[in-house]
Amino acid sequence: MRARQPAAGAPGAATARRAAGSAAGTAARGEAVGAGNGGRARREPSYRPLWVEEPARRRRLPDPVRTAAVRAVLLIAVTLLQAMVAFLCTMAGSWLAFPMVITSVASTVVATWGVLDVWVTRQVWNQRHGVVSTPSSTARALRRERRRARRQARAAERAQDRIRRRRGAGQLSHS
């Protein structure tokens, strides 16, 4: 049985509309309204994660390379900060302008070293741990040699098995 709502202009009309709207809103969220206990029992809303994990598009950088990259980013940030302070001190005519310009030049050299460090560390990592994507990879040649050695070992083992199985087949006498 449905409760009778007051007319649009009646004194309790706005309250009735709000109550009906909130009941519809809770029903839309997946909660039960009025399930048994006079509208007091409510079901927990269904669980929905805040985000969905997606697989990474690229592989993670190796630890030494990532460490060098973080170091380079910090050095570059400090260099840019020093350059900006040097510029502002120069515009203001401060005594701090000359020391800041000198340290900015030195910091630029250090930041360049940091970027080169990332590049060299990455190259060393790739060479030591074998990246197969480049034709001159040392890892590919090592794998090829190991494969060849395994093939030869298997062929020798098969030949020995064949000899053992035959055990005298083809001999003219059993003496």
Side-chain angles (χ1 to χ4, degrees):
M1 175 183 264
R2 195 170 165 179
R4 194 168 161 244
Q5 292 184 357
T15 310
R17 265 185 269 131
R18 259 185 265 129
S22 78
T26 49
R29 286 192 302 259
E31 299 173 355
V33 179
N37 292 341
R40 278 187 235 113
R42 288 191 175 167
R43 195 171 32 138
E44 289 294 318
S46 59
Y47 173 74
R48 199 175 107 220
L50 293 175
W51 64 85
V52 178
E53 299 250 349
E54 295 178 5
R57 290 189 181 118
R58 296 176 58 182
R59 285 186 310 156
R60 185 175 164 169
L61 282 176
D63 284 341
V65 178
R66 194 170 53 251
T67 304
V70 168
R71 188 183 313 122
V73 167
L74 291 175
L75 289 170
I76 291 170
V78 168
T79 301
L80 290 174
L81 188 69
Q82 280 185 324
M84 184 181 67
V85 169
F87 174 76
L88 292 175
C89 286
T90 304
M91 291 291 111
S94 172
W95 64 270
L96 197 58
F98 181 70
M100 287 306 295
V101 168
I102 297 298
T103 57
S104 293
V105 170
S107 189
T108 303
V109 172
V110 172
T112 305
W113 168 82
V115 172
L116 286 174
D117 182 45
V118 173
W119 183 67
V120 168
T121 306
R122 186 171 172 269
Q123 296 299 325
V124 168
W125 175 271
N126 287 343
Q127 188 175 13
R128 284 186 185 159
H129 295 88
V131 174
V132 183
S133 61
T134 56
S136 63
S137 172
T138 55
R140 182 179 289 162
L142 288 172
R143 275 197 289 274
R144 197 177 296 134
E145 286 174 24
R146 282 190 218 120
R147 241 182 275 132
R148 192 177 304 128
R150 277 195 304 258
R151 260 189 239 121
Q152 288 174 350
R154 279 194 303 255
E157 191 177 331
R158 278 195 302 266
Q160 286 297 324
D161 284 345
R162 230 178 287 124
I163 291 172
R164 280 191 214 113
R165 271 191 312 242
R166 285 172 110 191
R167 249 212 225 155
Q171 290 179 357
L172 296 176
S173 64
H174 292 292
S175 53

